[in-house]
Amino acid sequence: RRPRDVFSDLTPTILNNHLKTIMDGLSAKVFRTYNASKTLQDELMKTEEAKGWKRLTAAEKVVEYNNANREVAILCNHQKTVSKAQEATLDTLGEKLETLKTQKKELKKILENMTNGKKKKIPLKKNIKEEQEKVAKALEKAKSMKEKAKTKEEKIAATEQDEKAKQMRKELGELKFTQNHLWEKEPSKDQVVKKIENWKEKIKKMELNIKHKDDNKEVALGTSKLNYMDPRISVAWCKRNDVPIEKVFSKTMRDKFNWAMAVPPEWLFNEEIAKQG
């Protein structure tokens, strides 16, 4: 079916020419940029004024920044289709989160037994050196086969070996993950206490990560960051709130917006700045 214009008689040129009669230099993009920047700043200011804001960690503050960014993306209609890969990633993260929670329960049980003086054997890490060597050999064999492959059959065999080796590496990674909470030798009570605290942080971090990915799976946050929101708003916000800039801007964005990095923490976007472009 052919796409139909909502306003069939209106073109970007006609719209921009009309906007210029209202204000010199005004265009659809300038209008959109102003709205995007003002919305971002207003949303960020709301969070900074909220009760308990200063007690949040940097990771929790980044979640609030992403929420503000999402409001801008929705305003600008920067939508995207949820891919199967995104859904698979969320499923995998959900499974890992459940594993971490189970591991934390096991750690608490170990601590409980130690505290109560129960002489129960503490589970230790399985030695996986043999599995690691097998994976390394399989990967090396796949690499060698791919380099030597000339015929169609040899290339197919090399591809099959590569897939097999990668699957072995994946399974090894899963095995490591399932016993990450354990020790190679019997731990002290203090070590168990410390690991429980570490696992609490891991769980909290993963929950935030899953929430971020799930909340933003249908919107493209990067489009508004790159093209519409004034980057100085984000830089000033990071400086005010002790959030590393790399938590909100990728390296590509930091390079592109290098000119914005010197703004002071108190810098604010306003109409005069918008007119300057």
Side-chain angles (χ1 to χ4, degrees), residues 92-101 103 125 128 170-182 199 202 206:
T92 300
L93 287 174
E95 290 169 6
K96 285 190 172 182
L97 178 61
E98 289 308 309
T99 299
L100 287 175
K101 288 179 177 180
Q103 289 171 340
K125 276 186 180 179
I128 57 171
K170 181 185 175 184
E171 289 171 1
L172 177 62
E174 290 170 353
L175 175 58
K176 282 182 180 179
F177 187 76
T178 57
Q179 59 175 15
N180 265 351
H181 63 307
L182 302 177
W199 249 242
K202 282 178 182 285
M206 189 164 284

mmCIF file of all heavy atoms in Angstrom, residues 92-101 103 125 128 170-182 199 202 206:
data_model
loop_
_atom_site.group_PDB
_atom_site.id
_atom_site.type_symbol
_atom_site.label_atom_id
_atom_site.label_comp_id
_atom_site.label_asym_id
_atom_site.label_seq_id
_atom_site.Cartn_x
_atom_site.Cartn_y
_atom_site.Cartn_z
ATOM 1 N N THR A 92 17.705 -13.445 28.109
ATOM 2 C CA THR A 92 18.987 -13.908 28.669
ATOM 3 C C THR A 92 19.319 -13.170 29.964
ATOM 4 O O THR A 92 19.750 -13.783 30.954
ATOM 5 C CB THR A 92 20.129 -13.691 27.657
ATOM 6 O OG1 THR A 92 19.833 -14.431 26.463
ATOM 7 C CG2 THR A 92 21.466 -14.168 28.212
ATOM 8 N N LEU A 93 19.117 -11.851 29.963
ATOM 9 C CA LEU A 93 19.378 -11.060 31.166
ATOM 10 C C LEU A 93 18.446 -11.473 32.304
ATOM 11 O O LEU A 93 18.861 -11.528 33.469
ATOM 12 C CB LEU A 93 19.201 -9.565 30.865
ATOM 13 C CG LEU A 93 20.299 -8.914 30.018
ATOM 14 C CD1 LEU A 93 19.920 -7.476 29.668
ATOM 15 C CD2 LEU A 93 21.638 -8.936 30.747
ATOM 16 N N GLY A 94 17.193 -11.790 31.966
ATOM 17 C CA GLY A 94 16.241 -12.243 32.979
ATOM 18 C C GLY A 94 16.685 -13.541 33.624
ATOM 19 O O GLY A 94 16.582 -13.715 34.850
ATOM 20 N N GLU A 95 17.202 -14.445 32.805
ATOM 21 C CA GLU A 95 17.704 -15.726 33.316
ATOM 22 C C GLU A 95 18.920 -15.518 34.214
ATOM 23 O O GLU A 95 19.058 -16.150 35.269
ATOM 24 C CB GLU A 95 18.065 -16.640 32.147
ATOM 25 C CG GLU A 95 16.842 -17.155 31.375
ATOM 26 C CD GLU A 95 17.215 -17.828 30.067
ATOM 27 O OE1 GLU A 95 18.430 -17.997 29.816
ATOM 28 O OE2 GLU A 95 16.308 -18.185 29.293
ATOM 29 N N LYS A 96 19.810 -14.606 33.800
ATOM 30 C CA LYS A 96 21.001 -14.314 34.604
ATOM 31 C C LYS A 96 20.622 -13.688 35.940
ATOM 32 O O LYS A 96 21.240 -13.981 36.977
ATOM 33 C CB LYS A 96 21.945 -13.382 33.830
ATOM 34 C CG LYS A 96 22.712 -14.073 32.724
ATOM 35 C CD LYS A 96 23.793 -13.168 32.151
ATOM 36 C CE LYS A 96 24.683 -13.928 31.179
ATOM 37 N NZ LYS A 96 25.770 -13.081 30.639
ATOM 38 N N LEU A 97 19.613 -12.841 35.905
ATOM 39 C CA LEU A 97 19.154 -12.210 37.150
ATOM 40 C C LEU A 97 18.635 -13.260 38.127
ATOM 41 O O LEU A 97 18.945 -13.218 39.322
ATOM 42 C CB LEU A 97 18.052 -11.191 36.840
ATOM 43 C CG LEU A 97 17.427 -10.480 38.046
ATOM 44 C CD1 LEU A 97 18.479 -9.682 38.808
ATOM 45 C CD2 LEU A 97 16.290 -9.559 37.592
ATOM 46 N N GLU A 98 17.874 -14.215 37.626
ATOM 47 C CA GLU A 98 17.363 -15.292 38.487
ATOM 48 C C GLU A 98 18.499 -16.122 39.057
ATOM 49 O O GLU A 98 18.454 -16.549 40.218
ATOM 50 C CB GLU A 98 16.391 -16.175 37.699
ATOM 51 C CG GLU A 98 15.057 -15.503 37.375
ATOM 52 C CD GLU A 98 14.375 -14.913 38.602
ATOM 53 O OE1 GLU A 98 14.239 -15.652 39.609
ATOM 54 O OE2 GLU A 98 13.999 -13.730 38.565
ATOM 55 N N THR A 99 19.535 -16.353 38.241
ATOM 56 C CA THR A 99 20.707 -17.107 38.720
ATOM 57 C C THR A 99 21.399 -16.355 39.845
ATOM 58 O O THR A 99 21.776 -16.950 40.872
ATOM 59 C CB THR A 99 21.702 -17.353 37.564
ATOM 60 O OG1 THR A 99 21.057 -18.123 36.541
ATOM 61 C CG2 THR A 99 22.937 -18.103 38.046
ATOM 62 N N LEU A 100 21.572 -15.044 39.681
ATOM 63 C CA LEU A 100 22.206 -14.233 40.723
ATOM 64 C C LEU A 100 21.415 -14.282 42.031
ATOM 65 O O LEU A 100 21.990 -14.378 43.111
ATOM 66 C CB LEU A 100 22.329 -12.774 40.256
ATOM 67 C CG LEU A 100 23.379 -12.471 39.180
ATOM 68 C CD1 LEU A 100 23.277 -11.008 38.747
ATOM 69 C CD2 LEU A 100 24.783 -12.773 39.663
ATOM 70 N N LYS A 101 20.088 -14.228 41.917
ATOM 71 C CA LYS A 101 19.241 -14.282 43.120
ATOM 72 C C LYS A 101 19.351 -15.637 43.818
ATOM 73 O O LYS A 101 19.391 -15.704 45.056
ATOM 74 C CB LYS A 101 17.786 -14.002 42.740
ATOM 75 C CG LYS A 101 17.527 -12.547 42.370
ATOM 76 C CD LYS A 101 16.068 -12.323 41.985
ATOM 77 C CE LYS A 101 15.796 -10.850 41.693
ATOM 78 N NZ LYS A 101 14.384 -10.609 41.307
ATOM 79 N N GLN A 103 21.969 -17.603 43.648
ATOM 80 C CA GLN A 103 23.312 -17.628 44.235
ATOM 81 C C GLN A 103 23.349 -16.863 45.552
ATOM 82 O O GLN A 103 24.001 -17.291 46.517
ATOM 83 C CB GLN A 103 24.315 -17.035 43.244
ATOM 84 C CG GLN A 103 24.563 -17.930 42.040
ATOM 85 C CD GLN A 103 25.395 -17.248 40.964
ATOM 86 O OE1 GLN A 103 25.489 -16.024 40.908
ATOM 87 N NE2 GLN A 103 26.001 -18.043 40.097
ATOM 88 N N LYS A 125 34.228 -24.173 43.994
ATOM 89 C CA LYS A 125 34.237 -24.080 42.536
ATOM 90 C C LYS A 125 34.783 -25.353 41.919
ATOM 91 O O LYS A 125 35.751 -25.940 42.410
ATOM 92 C CB LYS A 125 35.124 -22.909 42.087
ATOM 93 C CG LYS A 125 34.438 -21.574 42.081
ATOM 94 C CD LYS A 125 35.355 -20.512 41.488
ATOM 95 C CE LYS A 125 34.651 -19.152 41.483
ATOM 96 N NZ LYS A 125 35.527 -18.097 40.946
ATOM 97 N N ILE A 128 37.775 -25.997 36.166
ATOM 98 C CA ILE A 128 37.363 -26.021 34.748
ATOM 99 C C ILE A 128 38.553 -25.841 33.799
ATOM 100 O O ILE A 128 38.373 -25.494 32.633
ATOM 101 C CB ILE A 128 36.301 -24.935 34.475
ATOM 102 C CG1 ILE A 128 36.836 -23.558 34.869
ATOM 103 C CG2 ILE A 128 35.014 -25.234 35.208
ATOM 104 C CD1 ILE A 128 35.929 -22.424 34.421
ATOM 105 N N LYS A 170 30.522 -20.624 24.671
ATOM 106 C CA LYS A 170 29.316 -20.111 25.322
ATOM 107 C C LYS A 170 28.965 -20.949 26.550
ATOM 108 O O LYS A 170 28.659 -20.409 27.624
ATOM 109 C CB LYS A 170 28.153 -20.121 24.329
ATOM 110 C CG LYS A 170 26.857 -19.581 24.915
ATOM 111 C CD LYS A 170 25.709 -19.722 23.923
ATOM 112 C CE LYS A 170 24.390 -19.300 24.557
ATOM 113 N NZ LYS A 170 23.239 -19.513 23.668
ATOM 114 N N GLU A 171 29.024 -22.279 26.396
ATOM 115 C CA GLU A 171 28.695 -23.176 27.506
ATOM 116 C C GLU A 171 29.698 -23.044 28.648
ATOM 117 O O GLU A 171 29.324 -23.129 29.827
ATOM 118 C CB GLU A 171 28.652 -24.623 27.000
ATOM 119 C CG GLU A 171 27.442 -24.898 26.102
ATOM 120 C CD GLU A 171 27.505 -26.244 25.413
ATOM 121 O OE1 GLU A 171 28.492 -26.989 25.635
ATOM 122 O OE2 GLU A 171 26.573 -26.561 24.637
ATOM 123 N N LEU A 172 30.970 -22.805 28.290
ATOM 124 C CA LEU A 172 31.988 -22.596 29.314
ATOM 125 C C LEU A 172 31.693 -21.314 30.095
ATOM 126 O O LEU A 172 31.815 -21.279 31.318
ATOM 127 C CB LEU A 172 33.377 -22.519 28.679
ATOM 128 C CG LEU A 172 34.544 -22.239 29.638
ATOM 129 C CD1 LEU A 172 34.679 -23.360 30.661
ATOM 130 C CD2 LEU A 172 35.849 -22.067 28.862
ATOM 131 N N GLY A 173 31.285 -20.273 29.365
ATOM 132 C CA GLY A 173 30.939 -19.007 30.010
ATOM 133 C C GLY A 173 29.766 -19.170 30.967
ATOM 134 O O GLY A 173 29.757 -18.594 32.058
ATOM 135 N N GLU A 174 28.785 -19.969 30.556
ATOM 136 C CA GLU A 174 27.624 -20.228 31.410
ATOM 137 C C GLU A 174 28.027 -20.994 32.669
ATOM 138 O O GLU A 174 27.511 -20.738 33.759
ATOM 139 C CB GLU A 174 26.566 -21.010 30.622
ATOM 140 C CG GLU A 174 25.888 -20.175 29.540
ATOM 141 C CD GLU A 174 25.031 -21.000 28.600
ATOM 142 O OE1 GLU A 174 25.064 -22.256 28.702
ATOM 143 O OE2 GLU A 174 24.328 -20.407 27.760
ATOM 144 N N LEU A 175 28.951 -21.957 32.505
ATOM 145 C CA LEU A 175 29.434 -22.729 33.653
ATOM 146 C C LEU A 175 30.163 -21.817 34.638
ATOM 147 O O LEU A 175 29.954 -21.907 35.857
ATOM 148 C CB LEU A 175 30.379 -23.836 33.174
ATOM 149 C CG LEU A 175 31.068 -24.678 34.267
ATOM 150 C CD1 LEU A 175 30.032 -25.357 35.158
ATOM 151 C CD2 LEU A 175 32.005 -25.707 33.639
ATOM 152 N N LYS A 176 30.987 -20.925 34.125
ATOM 153 C CA LYS A 176 31.702 -19.971 34.978
ATOM 154 C C LYS A 176 30.713 -19.119 35.757
ATOM 155 O O LYS A 176 30.871 -18.874 36.952
ATOM 156 C CB LYS A 176 32.591 -19.050 34.124
ATOM 157 C CG LYS A 176 33.886 -19.665 33.648
ATOM 158 C CD LYS A 176 34.673 -18.618 32.876
ATOM 159 C CE LYS A 176 35.989 -19.162 32.375
ATOM 160 N NZ LYS A 176 36.742 -18.147 31.594
ATOM 161 N N PHE A 177 29.681 -18.651 35.043
ATOM 162 C CA PHE A 177 28.684 -17.760 35.663
ATOM 163 C C PHE A 177 27.938 -18.468 36.793
ATOM 164 O O PHE A 177 27.662 -17.856 37.832
ATOM 165 C CB PHE A 177 27.704 -17.263 34.599
ATOM 166 C CG PHE A 177 26.751 -16.223 35.104
ATOM 167 C CD1 PHE A 177 27.164 -14.913 35.309
ATOM 168 C CD2 PHE A 177 25.426 -16.548 35.382
ATOM 169 C CE1 PHE A 177 26.281 -13.945 35.781
ATOM 170 C CE2 PHE A 177 24.540 -15.587 35.855
ATOM 171 C CZ PHE A 177 24.966 -14.284 36.052
ATOM 172 N N THR A 178 27.615 -19.745 36.592
ATOM 173 C CA THR A 178 26.823 -20.472 37.595
ATOM 174 C C THR A 178 27.604 -20.754 38.885
ATOM 175 O O THR A 178 27.000 -21.045 39.912
ATOM 176 C CB THR A 178 26.315 -21.818 37.041
ATOM 177 O OG1 THR A 178 27.428 -22.602 36.602
ATOM 178 C CG2 THR A 178 25.349 -21.594 35.892
ATOM 179 N N GLN A 179 28.931 -20.651 38.835
ATOM 180 C CA GLN A 179 29.702 -20.899 40.059
ATOM 181 C C GLN A 179 30.584 -19.713 40.463
ATOM 182 O O GLN A 179 31.503 -19.844 41.253
ATOM 183 C CB GLN A 179 30.553 -22.164 39.899
ATOM 184 C CG GLN A 179 31.543 -22.151 38.762
ATOM 185 C CD GLN A 179 32.415 -23.407 38.780
ATOM 186 O OE1 GLN A 179 32.128 -24.393 39.439
ATOM 187 N NE2 GLN A 179 33.526 -23.356 38.061
ATOM 188 N N ASN A 180 30.239 -18.541 39.926
ATOM 189 C CA ASN A 180 30.989 -17.320 40.248
ATOM 190 C C ASN A 180 30.927 -16.955 41.725
ATOM 191 O O ASN A 180 31.804 -16.262 42.240
ATOM 192 C CB ASN A 180 30.465 -16.137 39.420
ATOM 193 C CG ASN A 180 31.277 -15.920 38.154
ATOM 194 O OD1 ASN A 180 32.323 -16.535 37.978
ATOM 195 N ND2 ASN A 180 30.781 -15.079 37.276
ATOM 196 N N HIS A 181 29.858 -17.384 42.406
ATOM 197 C CA HIS A 181 29.673 -17.008 43.807
ATOM 198 C C HIS A 181 30.452 -17.905 44.763
ATOM 199 O O HIS A 181 30.484 -17.634 45.976
ATOM 200 C CB HIS A 181 28.181 -17.062 44.162
ATOM 201 C CG HIS A 181 27.581 -18.430 44.045
ATOM 202 N ND1 HIS A 181 27.677 -19.189 42.909
ATOM 203 C CD2 HIS A 181 26.876 -19.184 44.959
ATOM 204 C CE1 HIS A 181 27.052 -20.338 43.097
ATOM 205 N NE2 HIS A 181 26.568 -20.367 44.327
ATOM 206 N N LEU A 182 31.066 -18.938 44.226
ATOM 207 C CA LEU A 182 31.792 -19.895 45.075
ATOM 208 C C LEU A 182 33.281 -19.585 45.140
ATOM 209 O O LEU A 182 33.793 -18.707 44.446
ATOM 210 C CB LEU A 182 31.564 -21.317 44.547
ATOM 211 C CG LEU A 182 30.093 -21.766 44.462
ATOM 212 C CD1 LEU A 182 29.998 -23.153 43.862
ATOM 213 C CD2 LEU A 182 29.420 -21.703 45.838
ATOM 214 N N TRP A 199 26.963 -9.413 45.781
ATOM 215 C CA TRP A 199 25.865 -9.983 44.986
ATOM 216 C C TRP A 199 24.622 -9.088 45.033
ATOM 217 O O TRP A 199 23.895 -8.988 44.054
ATOM 218 C CB TRP A 199 25.564 -11.406 45.446
ATOM 219 C CG TRP A 199 25.972 -12.411 44.398
ATOM 220 C CD1 TRP A 199 25.155 -13.280 43.732
ATOM 221 C CD2 TRP A 199 27.287 -12.627 43.863
ATOM 222 N NE1 TRP A 199 25.894 -14.018 42.830
ATOM 223 C CE2 TRP A 199 27.196 -13.639 42.890
ATOM 224 C CE3 TRP A 199 28.541 -12.054 44.115
ATOM 225 C CZ2 TRP A 199 28.296 -14.093 42.157
ATOM 226 C CZ3 TRP A 199 29.639 -12.496 43.401
ATOM 227 C CH2 TRP A 199 29.514 -13.508 42.440
ATOM 228 N N LYS A 202 25.342 -6.539 42.450
ATOM 229 C CA LYS A 202 25.209 -7.122 41.113
ATOM 230 C C LYS A 202 23.733 -7.220 40.697
ATOM 231 O O LYS A 202 23.364 -6.907 39.567
ATOM 232 C CB LYS A 202 25.840 -8.524 41.082
ATOM 233 C CG LYS A 202 27.357 -8.549 40.990
ATOM 234 C CD LYS A 202 27.849 -9.992 41.016
ATOM 235 C CE LYS A 202 29.363 -10.073 40.968
ATOM 236 N NZ LYS A 202 29.900 -9.796 39.624
ATOM 237 N N MET A 206 21.905 -5.233 37.655
ATOM 238 C CA MET A 206 21.269 -5.956 36.558
ATOM 239 C C MET A 206 19.789 -5.605 36.443
ATOM 240 O O MET A 206 19.248 -5.509 35.333
ATOM 241 C CB MET A 206 21.450 -7.466 36.720
ATOM 242 C CG MET A 206 20.987 -8.244 35.493
ATOM 243 S SD MET A 206 21.598 -9.946 35.437
ATOM 244 C CE MET A 206 23.297 -9.683 34.936
#
